Amino acid sequence: MRPAITRILFFVLFTGSPFYLCAQEMTRLIDSLLKVYAGSATLETKAEKAGLLGQYYMSVDPAKAETWGKKALEDAELSRNRKAIAKANIDNGYRLSLMSGKKENIASAIVFFEESYKIARKNNLYEEMGRSLIFLSAMNRQIPDADKALNLASQAVSVLSNTGNDSLHC
């Protein structure tokens, strides 16, 4: 009887402990981002950190993720910085794309990426245009609409070739 208990104990320890450690790391990360958000001097930085918080909360608490996504958009719009507004829309679209198994998340993500593209295009923000097009391409691959995805990816390459930056971080 004793070896069976030992096996069960080892099984629980080795399968459960990685999840527990991962949850602790996530908590520390969120706490750190909350401190940085609270101490941010500019609205652009607050919008960026709120977007990251929304992304991290997406897999844990979608309601909180939605709240932080709205906060990111609000901070960006209050800053009146078009680049920050485009970035906040990209962050929200990316947040929703993390759970792209739901059709409504894909549709909402596409709306955010299209809005980001419109803002970036209107204000000649080529890197944000490229990011938006890349993410739109990825979302169209999820639908799947391969022709549209390829067209959007080609547009992104075309737009980004004008920036002089050959390594875009999405």
Side-chain angles (χ1 to χ4, degrees):
M1 196 56 117
R2 191 154 178 95
I5 293 173
T6 306
R7 280 190 220 134
I8 292 172
L9 181 63
F10 279 126
F11 177 76
V12 168
L13 285 176
F14 287 118
T15 59
S17 62
F19 298 114
Y20 177 72
L21 293 175
C22 188
Q24 282 183 329
E25 288 298 316
M26 186 68 133
T27 303
R28 280 191 226 142
L29 178 66
I30 288 173
D31 288 345
S32 174
L33 281 172
L34 285 169
K35 285 179 187 174
V36 171
Y37 176 82
S40 297
T42 64
L43 288 168
E44 291 90 351
T45 307
K46 282 189 172 213
E48 179 184 347
K49 299 310 174 197
L52 286 173
L53 281 162
Q55 291 170 22
Y56 289 122
Y57 273 118
M58 192 62 184
S59 63
V60 182
D61 187 357
K64 268 190 180 178
E66 186 69 27
T67 302
W68 281 107
K70 287 178 182 176
K71 186 70 176 152
L73 285 171
E74 180 184 320
D75 288 341
E77 295 209 6
L78 286 173
S79 76
R80 300 177 59 107
N81 180 336
R82 298 292 176 219
K83 188 172 185 174
I85 295 170
K87 175 85 170 76
N89 276 294
I90 290 171
D91 287 346
N92 270 298
Y94 180 70
R95 173 180 60 82
L96 290 163
S97 75
L98 293 173
M99 298 291 187
S100 61
K102 291 184 174 179
K103 212 168 184 112
E104 59 269 8
N105 283 353
I106 293 174
S108 297
I110 288 173
V111 169
F112 279 116
F113 292 137
E114 286 175 344
E115 181 65 23
S116 175
Y117 178 74
K118 287 177 193 171
I119 292 167
R121 186 171 182 201
K122 187 175 180 182
N123 294 284
N124 296 324
L125 302 169
Y126 295 109
E127 287 188 8
E128 282 68 26
M129 283 172 59
R131 281 187 180 97
S132 299
L133 289 168
I134 288 169
F135 284 123
L136 278 168
S137 174
M139 289 295 94
N140 279 285
R141 281 193 318 260
Q142 293 286 327
I143 290 175
D145 188 352
D147 292 335
K148 190 170 182 181
L150 180 60
N151 183 23
L152 289 165
S154 298
Q155 285 181 30
V157 169
S158 176
V159 166
L160 292 171
S161 67
N162 295 328
T163 65
N165 184 0
D166 65 348
S167 58
L168 179 66
H169 175 70
C170 289

